[in-house]
Amino acid sequence: MKETKQFTTVEQMETDMKKLKEIADSLNVDTFEGRAASQQPQCKFGSDGVCCTICGMGPCRITPKAPYGICGADEHAIAGRNFLRMAAAGSAAHSDHAREILHVLHETSPEGPYQIKDEAKLIRLAAEWGVKTEGRDIYEVAHEVAEIGLLEFGKPFGTLRNLNRATKERQEVWEKQGIAPRAIDREISTALHMSTIGNTTDPLELVRQAMRVGMADGWGGSMLGTDFTDIIFGTPQARGTSGNLGVLEEDQVNIIVHGHNPCFSEMIVLAADSKEMQDYAKSKGAQGINISGICCTANEVTMRHGVKIVGGFLQQEHAILTGAVEMMCVDVQCVFPSIARIKDCFHTKFVTSSPICRIPGSVYVELSGEDTETAYKKAIELVKDAIDNYQNRDQSKVWIPENKQDAVVGYSTEQIISSLDGVTNSFVASDPTGTYKPALDAIRAGVIRGAVAMVGCNNPKARMDHNHTEIMKGLLANDILIVGSGCASQAAIKSGFMDFDAKEICGEGMKRVCNLVGIPPILHMGACVDISRMMLLVTDMASEWGVNTTDLPVVGCAAEWMSEKAVAIANYVISTGLDVFLGINPPIMGSSKMLEITTEGMRDISGAGFTYNTDPHELVRLMVETIEAKRKALGI
Ligand code: BF8
């Protein structure tokens, strides 16, 4: 009889993390656990969103005795402005990342180091945007398309061109409700302007702009980022990988890539793969070079190269604490500045690479989109430096946990269609205009009840990966398909839920679908910017079914979110018509109106809204209830 799969539990991961924290304590260096404890109790005004610091008269904090800030703003205005500013900052982060990718595309050349990997996708996009391709050099086309993409950030008139990709119904809703985004930078600027001293205090209008600036991310920055990353580095295809701290190797040079924008990490992967560097590593007594990743940069390179996942957001310090890391290379976002202190206790080198993310104590090697020529050369030098550093590893300080799991990743929409078409056998690789029919049939027949997009971060307010994994188990047992991204996907990988043989935790329906289609029960769709892939997936499914996106038995869930980017994402997912369930309360609870608008009022705007609940089992129940209600309304 086949043995049942051994999953990794949250308790096992906690045991590993605890032991590494003890190492930190013995070295007298801080980690997030201690810092989170030292921040308790956290400020209730801040947690509830009713502390205003947007002008020099503040800070103003709202209490029953002081119901207005000095300017006269009430708690609804203050919480609404803070919420909008979070969405704007999140949108700025994703979109600026995308802008960098577009600059890199503009610098691509046949000589490299950045080239066009997915020519077919570029040609499809050029056709969509009316760019002539016939008889033209592909790089000339790429540069023109990049320029058009860059104009989306600051064009003076009109709305974003990618809105055309949505269903007619959605486009009409966005237009009618005033949430169709104009230029990306303009929505960010408008959000900051609206929420500055002496402007909007109507919480409904602040939320409406949060939706619009979120849309500028989801259907603007993030969608451009995803498309152009695919064009430069290749559209992800299903491939194997493994994940958790146990992927670090005792006898190899360990290099970790971390952050979000893959332009740097792609070069590091390329350099480490070169025969020159492999040979050099062996000449220095190592068995090879082991690249692994953290956060969304890891998601990018695992989707395209199968690079291993060493951990999620909360494991970045602990990876260094294993004592086995020669170098950590970061780009932008989600990087703990404490890495600079922890690395001082070991031989580890900490390399920053972007003017957006400058951290004292790191080595700065700039890699910018405008100057790509030397990128590969710089990557070779860094990899060589990491190899030279291998001999400095103090073996007495090395402790690598054993836990790791195999996984299958790389489910772009193109790959999902390809996998589904394996069922009907009609897929033509060069023309990914396949069909979601097998998936829709399974949903209509009730074999799959619906789908949940599980996304977002880890947050010390919840046990690491506990909300994610409890919800995943609950949904799969209820025959609900999961698509994942971000650190939520990494929780699935580390637990073993993203492997083919994870189907044993599924209900009978999901099990049948996994067997028939040959997929794991949770599909890794990429980094957080790739949630734009999910928006296109639901759009195509709704179109093929002939229903509205709001009618689909599909919802989003950010069970352990922490980033401002998550607020931007939630706003565009809701604007696209899908309910969003949060496992960490957003800082709006001090305003009854903001609570009412985000959970109910938004439904009048887009047909969807937020649900907040910090109990993962309750969240499962609430999501199942929503999915079943949507099925009933569809008559299935
Ligand atoms: O980009 S890496 S912690 S912010 S989920 Fe969250 Fe993870 Fe950061 Fe999203 Ni991705």
Side-chain angles (χ1 to χ4, degrees):
M1 205 176 85
K2 192 178 175 291
E3 271 182 37
T4 54
K5 183 176 172 68
Q6 294 291 308
F7 296 101
T8 302
T9 64
V10 167
E11 286 73 20
Q12 283 172 302
M13 291 192 236
E14 283 173 339
T15 305
D16 291 342
M17 295 287 280
K18 195 164 166 257
K19 182 145 184 210
L20 290 162
K21 162 80 169 64
E22 282 164 15
I23 293 174
D25 290 344
S26 72
L27 295 166
N28 208 15
V29 68
D30 57 290
T31 59
F32 81 85
E33 296 98 325
R35 296 191 300 270
S38 69
Q39 287 293 336
Q40 302 307 318
Q42 283 178 295
C43 169
K44 180 133 170 61
F45 298 103
S47 306
D48 286 351
V50 294
C51 174
C52 186
T53 59
I54 62 173
C55 86
M57 293 191 290
C60 293
R61 300 173 305 175
I62 302 303
T63 66
K65 269 170 63 196
Y68 303 108
I70 296 169
C71 74
D74 62 15
E75 74 270 34
H76 313 300
I78 292 171
R81 288 168 175 175
N82 289 340
F83 180 77
L84 173 55
R85 286 191 163 215
M86 286 186 90
S91 194
H94 273 161
S95 301
D96 209 31
H97 159 175
R99 185 188 339 248
E100 195 73 11
I101 301 275
L102 279 157
H103 278 292
V104 170
L105 180 71
H106 198 256
E107 297 303 311
T108 50
S109 70
E111 295 78 41
Y114 297 97
Q115 299 174 335
I116 305 297
K117 283 267 172 54
D118 192 340
E119 210 172 301
K121 192 158 186 163
L122 172 62
I123 303 272
R124 284 203 302 281
L125 190 69
E128 189 182 332
W129 287 2
V131 173
K132 199 174 152 280
T133 53
E134 246 180 58
R136 292 181 77 189
D137 178 74
I138 194 70
Y139 285 90
E140 204 182 298
V141 174
H143 300 162
E144 186 178 337
V145 167
E147 266 185 53
I148 296 174
L150 284 165
L151 288 174
E152 291 296 279
F153 289 81
K155 64 185 181 188
F157 306 110
T159 52
L160 293 179
R161 50 176 65 232
N162 278 343
L163 301 186
N164 296 341
R165 294 176 169 187
T167 60
K168 274 274 153 308
E169 181 266 348
R170 271 302 97 179
Q171 292 182 49
E172 281 163 19
V173 166
W174 296 336
E175 201 48 57
K176 185 164 163 248
Q177 292 294 339
I179 58 170
R182 300 155 297 177
I184 298 163
D185 290 349
R186 182 168 184 189
E187 295 310 345
I188 295 163
S189 183
T190 296
L192 294 178
H193 189 182
M194 267 180 89
S195 57
T196 196
I197 168 77
N199 282 332
T200 300
T201 51
D202 180 344
L204 180 62
E205 293 313 310
L206 292 164
V207 168
R208 198 187 301 277
Q209 181 59 21
M211 295 171 88
R212 199 179 201 183
V213 78
M215 288 286 297
D217 172 5
W219 290 80
S222 277
M223 203 170 274
L224 293 168
T226 295
D227 274 350
F228 289 103
T229 305
D230 285 356
I231 287 169
I232 302 170
F233 300 117
T235 300
Q237 296 175 340
R239 66 186 77 239
T241 187
S242 53
N244 215 340
L245 293 161
V247 304
L248 293 171
E249 298 285 356
E250 291 244 8
D251 53 4
Q252 294 193 33
V253 176
N254 289 306
I255 301 177
I256 293 180
V257 291
H258 173 21
H260 286 73
N261 180 335
C263 291
F264 184 28
S265 48
E266 278 278 344
M267 288 300 112
I268 296 286
V269 172
L270 207 65
D273 266 359
S274 70
K275 189 171 178 313
E276 181 195 354
M277 287 299 110
Q278 291 288 339
D279 289 347
Y280 189 64
K282 292 203 176 103
S283 78
K284 295 286 171 179
Q287 291 302 307
I289 306 167
N290 181 41
I291 307 271
S292 60
I294 287 178
C295 283
C296 278
T297 276
N299 289 324
E300 298 274 4
V301 287
T302 199
M303 294 271 283
R304 296 191 178 85
H305 304 280
V307 163
K308 297 169 214 166
I309 305 288
V310 67
F313 173 62
L314 288 182
Q315 287 169 297
Q316 53 188 292
E317 296 168 310
H318 299 65
I320 308 280
L321 287 163
T322 61
V325 178
E326 274 58 55
M327 184 176 279
M328 180 181 271
C329 297
V330 307
D331 49 88
V332 291
Q333 305 167 15
C334 296
V335 180
F336 278 156
S338 55
I339 299 289
R341 290 190 291 277
I342 296 178
K343 70 107 174 61
D344 281 344
C345 306
F346 300 91
H347 69 304
T348 310
K349 299 206 172 183
F350 177 37
V351 181
T352 47
S353 61
S354 165
I356 299 293
C357 180
R358 299 296 305 263
I359 299 177
S362 64
V363 175
Y364 184 60
V365 180
E366 186 167 318
L367 241 107
S368 84
E370 282 89 353
D371 170 29
T372 57
E373 238 171 71
T374 53
Y376 183 67
K377 248 194 230 148
K378 286 178 185 169
I380 285 276
E381 275 163 31
L382 285 170
V383 171
K384 189 166 176 290
D385 202 16
I387 296 169
D388 287 335
N389 198 21
Y390 179 65
Q391 66 189 21
N392 298 326
R393 193 191 288 181
D394 179 349
Q395 289 301 342
S396 70
K397 281 186 171 174
V398 173
W399 183 73
I400 302 174
E402 276 175 15
N403 284 311
K404 63 177 169 186
Q405 289 279 351
D406 289 335
V408 185
V409 297
Y411 287 93
S412 54
T413 48
E414 288 88 339
Q415 177 63 57
I416 292 174
I417 290 177
S418 161
S419 300
L420 288 172
D421 272 9
V423 181
T424 52
N425 243 344
S426 61
F427 181 67
V428 184
S430 60
D431 176 21
T433 49
T435 171
Y436 290 106
K437 192 171 176 297
L440 294 175
D441 286 347
I443 292 174
R444 282 189 283 244
V447 183
I448 301 177
R449 309 300 296 173
V452 174
M454 291 210 55
V455 305
C457 329
N458 294 124
N459 185 327
K461 287 181 176 167
R463 284 169 65 191
M464 189 187 80
D465 295 337
H466 180 254
N467 284 2
H468 288 314
T469 51
E470 286 303 294
I471 291 170
M472 285 166 185
K473 285 189 276 186
L475 294 175
L476 293 178
N478 276 288
D479 288 325
I480 292 169
L481 175 77
I482 299 174
V483 292
S485 72
C487 293
S489 267
Q490 297 176 347
I493 291 175
K494 290 180 284 174
S495 308
F497 298 167
M498 224 174 236
D499 200 5
F500 287 132
D501 56 7
K503 48 186 178 267
E504 64 186 64
I505 55 169
C506 298
E508 287 310 312
M510 267 300 298
K511 238 181 241 173
R512 264 169 58 201
V513 169
C514 289
N515 282 332
L516 189 67
V517 187
I519 50 170
I522 304 178
L523 302 179
H524 192 316
M525 289 193 78
C528 290
V529 289
D530 295 329
I531 296 170
S532 62
R533 295 189 203 275
M534 298 176 187
M535 298 304 96
L536 295 175
L537 178 76
V538 291
T539 297
D540 288 346
M541 286 177 84
S543 301
E544 199 162 335
W545 194 334
V547 299
N548 293 335
T549 45
T550 39
D551 300 331
L552 290 172
V554 176
V555 302
C557 176
E560 300 178 26
W561 76 276
M562 63 83 203
S563 168
E564 292 167 318
K565 291 175 288 174
V567 180
I569 293 166
N571 274 290
Y572 75 69
V573 171
I574 287 173
S575 302
T576 306
L578 308 183
D579 277 345
V580 168
F581 294 75
L582 297 185
I584 306 281
N585 288 335
I588 57 149
M589 297 296 168
S591 159
S592 55
K593 283 190 189 166
M594 278 300 290
L595 187 58
E596 194 279 328
I597 291 166
T598 53
T599 55
E600 292 304 327
M602 281 175 121
R603 294 176 199 278
D604 297 332
I605 299 176
S606 77
F610 283 100
T611 299
Y612 310 124
N613 202 302
T614 54
D615 177 344
H617 303 111
E618 266 302 289
L619 277 177
V620 172
R621 188 185 66 73
L622 291 163
M623 283 190 269
V624 170
E625 205 174 271
T626 302
I627 283 169
E628 291 301 330
K630 297 224 177 216
R631 293 185 62 90
K632 198 160 168 221
L634 280 166
I636 54 172

